Amino acid sequence: MAFIEDTCVSLAPKFKIKEGKTVADISVHMDKMVSLVKANEPLLCNEYAFTFSADNKTFCCRESYASANGVLAHLENVGAVLGAVLETTADLIEIEVHGPAAELAKLKEPLTHLNPTFFELKTGGIRNKA
């Protein structure tokens, strides 16, 4: 396996399922978002998956992109479905954005409404080339 310098941008949003809603309720939306990512982001998205807490009250989306442009394209791609999730099924608790300083700079203004915490990637990190 070959490694290359890690220059990806990753998001780590954490959600709380609304009172009276279940994993089944959110799963419908997740399936739609995964389908949209598969269809429209094959060259932009490195990973996209959902994880749940043991009590099924909170969940996270594990996602990373080749660049800040990939993040912005993703949010445009799934925006309508994500809006429906936030309106009916879950609340955004927090969101972290990890990546190189130059890429984070491109996201600070467009993501302001999400109140993210930014984490700057230090040089020397690696990722698998595959």
Side-chain angles (χ1 to χ4, degrees):
M1 257 188 228
F3 289 97
I4 59 174
E5 182 181 359
D6 182 6
T7 58
C8 297
V9 177
S10 61
L11 300 182
K14 183 178 179 182
F15 302 87
K16 181 177 186 221
I17 297 177
K18 293 180 187 257
E19 195 68 38
K21 298 296 180 177
T22 66
V23 172
D25 296 320
I26 191 67
S27 292
V28 172
H29 299 293
M30 289 176 179
D31 291 346
K32 287 180 189 175
M33 288 190 280
V34 169
S35 292
L36 286 168
V37 170
K38 283 181 181 179
N40 301 310
E41 302 176 32
L43 300 177
L44 303 172
C45 183
N46 297 324
E47 67 176 327
Y48 192 73
F50 294 93
T51 60
F52 286 84
S53 61
D55 64 5
N56 286 327
K57 292 184 179 182
T58 58
F59 66 95
C60 298
C61 185
R62 239 178 48 173
E63 53 189 301
S64 73
Y65 303 88
S67 66
N69 290 339
V71 171
L72 296 174
H74 169 72
L75 292 173
E76 185 175 323
N77 183 34
V78 301
V81 180
L82 179 58
V85 167
L86 296 173
E87 187 176 313
T88 64
T89 316
D91 296 311
L92 180 65
I93 298 171
E94 65 182 344
I95 184 168
E96 296 178 358
V97 183
H98 301 255
E103 296 301 306
L104 296 181
K106 298 173 189 174
L107 296 171
K108 288 190 177 179
E109 186 179 325
L111 300 184
T112 299
H113 67 288
L114 298 174
N115 194 29
T117 303
F118 290 93
F119 292 83
E120 184 179 328
L121 180 68
K122 297 300 177 196
T123 58
I126 58 173
R127 69 179 177 89
N128 193 301
K129 186 177 180 179

